[in-house]
Amino acid sequence: MDVAELKQRLVHEPQALPLPESLLRTHFTPDHALVEAALAWQQKADNHYLICLDDPLYPPLLKQINDPPAVLFLKGHINTLLLPSIAVVGSRNATLGGKKVAYELSEQLATNGICVTSGMALGIDGAAHQAAIDSAKSSIAVLGTGIEVIYPKRHRSIYHDIQNEGCLLAEFWPDVKPFAGNFPKRNRIISGLTMGTLVVEASVKSGSLITARLANEQGREVFAIPGSVLSGQSEGCHKLLREGAKLVESVTDILEEVNALSSYHLEELKACHHIGGESASDLPFSSLLASVGYETTTIDDVVEHSGKTIELVLEQLLELELQGWITAVPGGYIRLKRS
């Protein structure tokens, strides 16, 4: 859709656009300058994407929440959105022990095929993202700023690494600067994207408890790491545990709870991409598996060699990865075993 057509629809046919019903019920005046700026940003680079509610790649779990973003700005690998994901959040002023726990659990989640999602904040968020990066696995950073604004600045390297191996996500226009009110708002995306939220070190007034509350309201799992009763660093986690969050001692405690939701996630992907039972059940997708080598194979090469659509390729690659046939690496996929 070009700018002229988009303007025409915004003015005369807004109901034909993928906008929330709450917005369509109100009288709104579109800002055409912002629309043009968004489209110009998208066209700047091949790894820039605008994802609307009706896009097949719009995260199916996020679409289920009460107020999903009408538009997402994405920078990086768009197929990262197809991976089942767990949110790992916690204190910005985390202890060394808290960051160690967050790192180790995130590393284990990543090696089990679970994408680590967080908010790129200092402390626990940074440790979680770094674990996925060090494992050469995908991570999603949901920003409380515009997609082009690196905040905090000391996470510049994490920002660029996630862009290369996962994706950055924001609902704000690309150049929006840090604003306190935007960070709690973005928390609903962190919890909405994921099958569950793990809280590592959080005070009672921590923003991480907002994410946990939203996860609970959205029908997702809530996990918490207990801490010392002598320290206020984990009072929020203890509060969550008293309210029914699952106590986590190892990654197994998380994986055994999200298996059902992971299956739902895959079923939603099949529905989004119009994949029928025959093609989805023909595991291990022998023709596609034959397209993935024992050295890094790009997605473009897999699509060309297999002759399948990109949507079907992404779906089947995800299932093959979950079953241990292949693994995602920077630049593509590697086959792990013979059929």
Side-chain angles (χ1 to χ4, degrees):
M1 185 185 304
D2 59 25
V3 175
E5 182 183 354
L6 183 56
K7 286 182 177 180
Q8 176 75 12
R9 291 197 178 187
L10 281 168
V11 174
H12 301 291
E13 300 177 273
Q15 69 280 358
L17 294 170
L19 298 171
E21 289 185 12
S22 58
L23 182 59
L24 291 175
R25 286 196 298 266
T26 64
H27 177 74
F28 69 97
T29 303
D31 187 326
H32 297 302
L34 283 178
V35 172
E36 291 181 8
L39 293 173
W41 174 85
Q42 181 187 27
Q43 294 163 9
K44 266 187 179 179
D46 291 339
N47 68 342
H48 288 192
Y49 300 90
L50 289 175
I51 308 170
C52 297
L53 273 169
D54 66 345
D55 193 306
L57 287 170
Y58 195 98
L61 290 178
L62 184 60
K63 193 179 290 189
Q64 303 302 318
I65 71 174
N66 289 332
D67 54 346
V71 178
L72 292 168
F73 292 84
L74 184 146
K75 193 174 184 181
H77 298 284
I78 194 167
N79 58 302
T80 307
L81 293 180
L82 299 178
L83 299 172
S85 181
I86 289 289
V88 182
V89 298
S91 174
R92 286 175 168 79
N93 300 310
T95 65
L96 288 175
K99 287 188 280 190
K100 183 175 185 291
V101 169
Y103 185 97
E104 291 179 353
L105 285 173
S106 298
E107 184 180 44
Q108 292 163 12
L109 285 169
T111 56
N112 276 277
I114 302 295
C115 181
V116 175
T117 295
S118 197
M120 215 178 80
L122 297 174
I124 298 301
D125 289 22
H129 286 309
Q130 193 64 56
I133 291 166
D134 292 344
S135 303
K137 299 294 184 180
S138 297
S139 187
I140 298 175
V142 183
L143 308 183
T145 62
I147 199 88
E148 294 294 340
V149 177
I150 301 175
Y151 181 82
K153 293 187 182 300
R154 72 179 74 174
H155 277 175
R156 181 176 298 274
S157 63
I158 288 179
Y159 175 97
H160 290 298
D161 286 338
I162 291 175
Q163 179 184 171
N164 292 332
E165 299 186 20
C167 71
L168 304 155
L169 208 60
E171 66 175 319
F172 308 109
W173 249 242
D175 59 352
V176 170
K177 300 292 190 272
F179 174 69
N182 286 343
F183 290 93
K185 186 177 181 183
R186 67 91 191 267
N187 289 349
R188 82 190 194 288
I189 302 177
I190 294 177
S191 58
L193 272 174
T194 57
M195 300 179 292
T197 294
L198 169 66
V199 182
V200 184
E201 286 195 343
S203 66
V204 174
K205 295 183 179 180
S206 169
S208 302
L209 262 65
I210 297 176
T211 309
R213 174 179 59 79
L214 291 167
N216 187 57
E217 291 173 356
Q218 293 162 352
R220 314 297 162 79
E221 299 291 341
V222 178
F223 307 94
I225 302 289
S228 171
V229 295
L230 301 177
S231 168
Q233 290 288 107
S234 295
E235 286 182 349
C237 294
H238 296 159
K239 180 177 186 293
L240 292 174
L241 291 168
R242 288 194 298 271
E243 293 172 352
K246 177 159 185 178
L247 187 151
V248 172
E249 295 179 309
S250 72
V251 73
T252 304
D253 297 323
I254 300 173
L255 296 176
E256 65 186 15
E257 290 294 326
V258 299
N259 280 340
L261 197 50
S262 181
S263 298
Y264 168 79
H265 175 84
L266 288 173
E267 289 301 319
E268 285 295 297
L269 286 177
K270 292 171 188 174
C272 287
H273 295 288
H274 311 293
I275 298 171
E278 182 178 351
S279 61
S281 62
D282 186 24
L283 295 176
F285 308 120
S286 56
S287 64
L288 187 73
L289 191 56
S291 303
V292 182
Y294 294 97
E295 296 182 354
T296 302
T297 309
T298 67
I299 289 180
D300 289 342
D301 287 342
V302 175
V303 171
E304 182 178 357
H305 186 272
S306 67
K308 299 176 183 289
T309 65
I310 181 65
E311 291 84 6
L312 186 56
V313 165
L314 291 173
E315 157 67 13
Q316 293 183 349
L317 285 174
L318 175 59
E319 292 204 25
L320 288 170
E321 184 174 14
L322 291 174
Q323 293 189 19
W325 289 94
I326 63 173
T327 187
V329 297
Y333 290 84
I334 288 179
R335 186 164 174 175
L336 296 178
K337 58 185 180 181
R338 297 178 184 275
S339 56

